[in-house]
Amino acid sequence: MQINDKSGITEYMASSKRYDAMKYNRCGKSGLLLPAISLGLWHNFGEVDNMFNARKILRTAFDLGITHFDLANNYGPPFGSAEETFGLIFKKDFKQYRDELIISTKAGYDMWPGPYGNLGSRKYLIASIDQSLKRLGLEYVDIFYHHRPDPDTPLEETMVALSDIVRQGKALYVGISNYEPKETAEAAKILKELKVPFVLHQARYSLFDRWVEDGLLETLEDNGVGCIAFSPLAQGMLTDKYLKGIPKDSRAGKNFTYLNTEQIQENIDKIQELNEIAKNRGQKLSQMAIGWLLSQQSITSVLVGASSSDQLKENVKALENLKFSNKEMELIEDVLKFSAT
């Protein structure tokens, strides 16, 4: 660092206490352990975002024992830029810690023009992993997911492509995301026959979105596959952000694609009641929402995003209280059943 350098960026040395407090859970019946809380890079790591902030978040995550960083080929914006950002920071800060990290990426959504840049064909998946590895600056990822089902491509073609990616040494394990129970069972059968380590299903799951309880969690358990929950805070609804209205600079205030003012208005009573339960537990609403997910035996890890290192620290505090009494569970269910979404 130069004498007049005011950036505050110093050479990174991971905390020696990084494994002291984090909880690690097994992915189904595999040998792989994931931290109870993983970091998703869907937002705040694109080309349009602040690199210094992104670097602080990643450093904080690893110092807290978060060893799993989750990406996808289309994360940004623009597409691919979250992987590029991570690759740059990895080279500067984390290269020496590669064997302590679980780095995952995905392919399945629209990525490049034309008929070969989307969904689940062999051509798309093989091209995608090669592109992702170049952006990340890695020889392999730990987990490669098919990001969503492709109704027009035979499932066997998609699963054989995932198998070949593992056999080529480009990924250690495979996963799927957003698959329904029947599709998941079929995928598991094919991958088992191919002797490919299928370890995770990444599914949207929160107090407000319980679709996985309608057969998916049971299917995963039957097949020895773990579940990692994304959108655990329902795009911010399960935080204290909307308790007193809708801030203009919030996602709902800007009417982002996945959250709008109508959703907040429909759920505000429920949000406030859940917040009271959280307060009585000595937690923030966001911490209780994460803790509730981790109290489910079938959940391997909860995938959180973060706009700052302080926000990430607050979310990790959920691990300080993961026990729910029967009365607390009943109160939560009573709130949800009258205004379920």
Side-chain angles (χ1 to χ4, degrees):
M1 178 185 291
Q2 299 299 315
I3 293 173
N4 294 320
D5 185 348
K6 307 287 194 236
S7 70
I9 300 174
T10 58
E11 184 177 351
Y12 177 60
M13 178 84 56
S15 169
S16 61
K17 298 180 179 180
R18 59 189 177 275
Y19 296 116
D20 290 357
M22 180 55 66
K23 185 174 185 286
Y24 297 88
N25 300 318
R26 191 166 302 281
C27 296
K29 295 180 180 177
S30 77
L32 183 65
L33 299 174
L34 287 187
I37 295 178
S38 300
L39 180 65
L41 280 69
W42 181 18
H43 298 295
N44 305 308
F45 290 85
E47 187 177 306
V48 301
D49 298 300
N50 184 290
M51 173 74 78
F52 180 48
N53 186 55
R55 196 174 182 184
K56 284 176 63 178
I57 293 170
L58 288 170
R59 288 181 172 194
T60 298
F62 192 50
D63 285 345
L64 291 169
I66 296 175
T67 54
H68 178 211
F69 299 141
D70 180 79
L71 297 115
N73 60 352
N74 66 334
Y75 287 178
F79 293 165
S81 61
E83 289 180 329
E84 290 174 347
T85 295
F86 180 82
L88 290 171
I89 298 171
F90 172 83
K91 184 177 180 181
K92 290 177 182 291
D93 293 340
F94 296 102
K95 195 169 185 178
Q96 65 178 313
Y97 303 109
R98 176 63 183 98
D99 292 337
E100 297 182 45
L101 297 176
I102 300 296
I103 301 168
S104 62
T105 195
K106 318 176 198 70
Y109 283 94
D110 183 34
M111 185 61 191
W112 64 84
Y116 316 119
N118 206 343
L119 293 166
S121 71
R122 177 180 179 83
K123 180 168 178 61
Y124 172 61
L125 292 178
I126 299 294
S128 289
I129 186 62
D130 288 343
Q131 291 177 16
S132 288
L133 291 176
K134 286 179 182 178
R135 287 189 290 266
L136 292 164
L138 299 175
E139 294 179 358
Y140 69 94
V141 292
D142 297 274
I143 306 168
F144 185 64
Y145 292 89
H146 186 220
H147 209 163
R148 63 167 170 169
D150 179 353
D152 300 318
T153 296
L155 185 61
E156 186 174 6
E157 177 179 338
T158 301
M159 295 303 112
V160 169
L162 293 181
S163 171
D164 287 344
I165 286 167
V166 170
R167 300 196 195 290
Q168 291 166 7
K170 297 172 182 177
L172 302 184
Y173 303 90
V174 302
I176 58 175
S177 183
N178 300 307
Y179 276 55
E180 297 289 337
K182 183 175 182 295
E183 299 165 327
T184 298
E186 292 170 356
K189 182 176 184 295
I190 296 169
L191 291 169
K192 184 176 182 179
E193 291 171 352
L194 293 169
K195 300 188 184 305
V196 177
F198 172 30
V199 295
L200 275 179
H201 186 299
Q202 189 170 132
R204 191 182 63 253
Y205 189 20
S206 73
L207 281 165
F208 284 0
D209 192 339
R210 309 277 289 273
W211 76 274
V212 300
E213 296 173 6
D214 190 19
L216 179 63
L217 295 179
E218 183 178 355
T219 299
L220 295 176
E221 185 175 352
D222 290 344
N223 288 279
V225 178
C227 182
I228 181 168
F230 74 86
S231 291
L233 305 180
Q235 297 297 311
M237 284 197 292
L238 289 166
T239 69
D240 55 12
K241 183 177 293 184
Y242 300 107
L243 290 173
K244 297 180 180 179
I246 302 174
K248 290 182 179 179
D249 62 346
S250 66
R251 290 184 188 179
K254 295 177 181 177
N255 277 320
F256 277 18
T257 305
Y258 298 100
L259 187 63
N260 55 50
T261 55
E262 185 176 330
Q263 287 173 279
I264 300 297
Q265 291 164 352
E266 288 177 352
N267 291 288
I268 189 62
D269 290 343
K270 180 165 57 174
I271 294 169
Q272 291 171 343
E273 289 181 50
L274 289 171
N275 185 61
E276 288 302 311
I277 299 173
K279 284 169 61 177
N280 289 334
R281 284 173 49 82
Q283 291 181 307
K284 289 188 172 184
L285 175 55
S286 56
Q287 293 164 348
M288 184 181 78
I290 292 168
W292 180 85
L293 283 170
L294 289 171
S295 73
Q296 313 299 313
Q297 188 174 359
S298 52
I299 298 302
T300 301
S301 183
V302 172
L303 193 58
V304 303
S307 59
S308 69
S309 56
D310 287 341
Q311 183 186 58
L312 183 60
K313 290 175 184 176
E314 285 297 317
N315 285 338
V316 171
K317 286 180 181 178
L319 299 177
E320 295 174 5
N321 187 5
L322 297 179
K323 293 183 179 179
F324 288 77
S325 67
N326 291 336
K327 181 62 176 177
E328 287 171 332
M329 284 296 196
E330 289 172 5
L331 287 171
I332 289 170
E333 292 302 324
D334 285 345
V335 170
L336 295 173
K337 73 181 181 181
F338 289 113
S339 51
T341 58

